[in-house]
Amino acid sequence: MNASARSTIISLFLIISILFLFFKSCVIHNPKPDECEVVSAKVVSIREGSTFDIQFKTDTDNVYYINRGLEQGLNLDSLNAKVLNKTVTLHLPILTFGPSTHIAQLAVDNNIIFTEFEN
């Protein structure tokens, strides 16, 4: 094998490896509390998003979501009563380029409303 072919193979391998690591870092799987950024925000609206997600809009116009929250047994009416117009604490998994908008844990006044953390 000549040097040009060897360089091409090594370059392709490196590119594929970097892409794999990049996309793997964008997948949220089994988040841990120490891998999250903790954010406090006042919830001003709650709505159903795509694919049964529950979206929370804050007073700073940020939108966070619980992935497939409706499929996990959460109810919009119940959430409205518990968190609407209240300051919540969110745990947001940190990805390669900063925190995601995916909610790993949602709490109000130290009462956990939703969590993905395993005990």
Side-chain angles (χ1 to χ4, degrees):
M1 184 181 315
N2 65 27
S4 176
R6 196 170 321 146
S7 292
T8 302
I9 290 171
I10 291 171
S11 295
L12 283 173
F13 176 76
L14 289 174
I15 290 170
I16 290 170
S17 297
I18 290 169
L19 287 173
F20 173 77
L21 291 173
F22 172 75
F23 287 114
K24 186 175 178 350
S25 72
C26 293
V27 174
I28 301 168
H29 178 71
N30 194 19
K32 307 278 187 274
D34 59 339
E35 299 169 346
C36 293
E37 181 173 311
V38 179
V39 173
S40 291
K42 183 178 179 182
V43 175
V44 295
S45 71
I46 302 170
R47 67 179 184 182
E48 180 178 348
S50 61
T51 64
F52 304 103
D53 292 350
I54 299 173
Q55 296 180 341
F56 299 83
K57 185 175 180 182
T58 66
D59 58 348
T60 58
D61 286 333
N62 291 325
V63 177
Y64 303 100
Y65 72 97
I66 295 176
N67 190 42
R68 298 192 175 272
L70 295 173
E71 287 182 341
Q72 296 185 54
L74 296 173
N75 178 290
L76 290 176
D77 292 331
S78 174
L79 286 170
N80 268 313
K82 292 177 183 177
V83 303
L84 190 63
N85 296 318
K86 295 181 182 169
T87 299
V88 298
T89 303
L90 306 173
H91 283 73
L92 308 171
I94 299 172
L95 302 176
T96 302
F97 299 106
S100 72
T101 57
H102 171 92
I103 299 171
Q105 182 168 292
L106 167 70
V108 177
D109 299 327
N110 294 325
N111 295 318
I112 297 173
I113 307 296
F114 169 79
T115 189
E116 291 180 340
F117 301 145
E118 296 177 0
N119 295 334

